[in-house]
Every structure is written in C-alpha cells, then in structure tokens.
Amino acid sequence: MKNRKRFSIILVLAFITLIGVILFYTAQKPIGNAEEKAETRAIDEGHLTEISRSYPVNGSEPSITVLGKNKDGKPAAVFVPDGTEGEMRSVLLKDGIGFRQALDVVREDMDVRKVLHVHLGNDESGPFWEVAFTGPDDKLNYVHLNFGDGKVRKKILNL
C-alpha cells in the first residue's frame, strides 16, 4: 500500500513537471519566432551582414533589437519594429556610450544590488540603454539612458 501511494505521488509530480515544461516552451515560442523574423529582415534589407544577438525591448514602441556587424564590419544595432511592418532604424555602437558605461552611470547614481539586464532600445526620442536592476530593498527598477551621451532619460523605481 505504501509503495502504491509513493508511486502515485511521484507520477503526479512528474505529470505536473511535464505540464510546466510544455507551458514554458509554448510561452517562449512566439518570442523566438519574432527574433528570427527580425534577424532575417535585418540581413535581407542590408542593415547587417553578421548577427551576434537579438532580444525584445518593450518601450513605447515595442521592437526587437538585433546586434551584429554591418557591411563595413563595424558593430551596429538594428531596431526592427514588432511585427512585419514599420521602418527599421540602425545605429553604429561606436556612436554612443557602451554597455559598461551605461551600467556605470546607473551605479554612480543609485544603489544597485543585482543587474537584471542592460538592453539597447529605440523610441521616438532615439536610441537608449535600458538598465533593469533590483535595489537593496529587492524592488524592481528601470532606468533609460540616452545612447549618445548617457544622460538619464527616464526612471521607473521601486516596482
């Protein structure tokens, strides 16, 4: 009788774990598809020849940021609007502050406990760095910095 209960509990836990894995995979699939389409579009339209990374950025204009090298071999970022429509924008990474500089600006101004991500995005005001982090109180914080000069554009604190 004991063995039957143990087997039943293990079977139920395995089933719940399987359902969780399937749900997670299903939830991530649209993001992966959007990133693939954005990468293909960035190459097809001649903005990039080589891709190193891509990720979604949900600002006032949701987009996929695709990082790589342009036809001259220089590191660049292309901002592909979410979906298939809309104008793509690109920027050379040497024309603004870098990833580490953006992080340093935020660390100088605020108490950063754990950095969640530093992403390059774009909106109607131009390219920006989005730094997401938790503070000493474990609350979520977002800071947007101008890509060109590193000045703080927007802060969303203590979420």
Side-chain angles (χ1 to χ4, degrees), residues 1-157:
M1 195 65 152
K2 273 185 174 179
N3 288 337
R4 189 174 282 183
K5 284 183 182 180
R6 284 183 190 159
F7 178 75
S8 297
I9 289 171
I10 291 171
L11 185 64
V12 168
L13 290 175
F15 184 70
I16 290 171
T17 302
L18 180 64
I19 297 283
V21 168
I22 290 170
L23 287 174
F24 180 77
Y25 175 76
T26 304
Q28 292 297 322
K29 196 172 182 180
I31 294 170
N33 289 342
E35 288 176 3
E36 282 182 32
K37 287 179 185 177
E39 290 173 1
T40 301
R41 187 172 171 206
I43 288 177
D44 289 349
E45 293 189 20
H47 291 276
L48 297 175
T49 57
E50 182 181 319
I51 293 174
S52 59
R53 184 172 176 215
S54 63
Y55 48 81
V57 176
N58 293 312
S60 59
E61 299 173 9
S63 65
I64 305 291
T65 299
V66 183
L67 302 172
K69 293 186 179 180
N70 66 9
K71 62 184 174 188
D72 299 326
K74 295 181 180 178
V78 177
F79 309 106
V80 182
D82 196 15
T84 57
E85 299 297 318
E87 180 182 340
M88 292 192 304
R89 296 178 188 166
S90 63
V91 63
L92 291 175
L93 295 181
K94 70 175 180 70
D95 291 342
I97 67 169
F99 165 88
R100 298 243 183 253
Q101 290 171 302
L103 196 50
D104 289 342
V105 168
V106 172
R107 284 189 169 142
E108 283 177 17
D109 190 31
M110 291 168 222
D111 191 5
V112 177
R113 183 175 201 174
K114 180 180 177 187
V115 176
L116 303 175
H117 70 253
V118 180
H119 285 166
L120 187 59
N122 189 54
D123 62 12
E124 62 277 346
S125 301
F128 63 87
W129 284 106
E130 176 184 84
V131 182
F133 64 95
T134 58
D137 53 1
D138 286 331
K139 292 188 177 179
L140 180 61
N141 301 283
Y142 289 95
V143 177
H144 286 191
L145 305 169
N146 281 330
F147 172 71
D149 59 13
K151 291 185 181 177
V152 175
R153 187 189 287 185
K154 178 175 27 172
K155 291 181 186 180
I156 304 172
L157 304 174

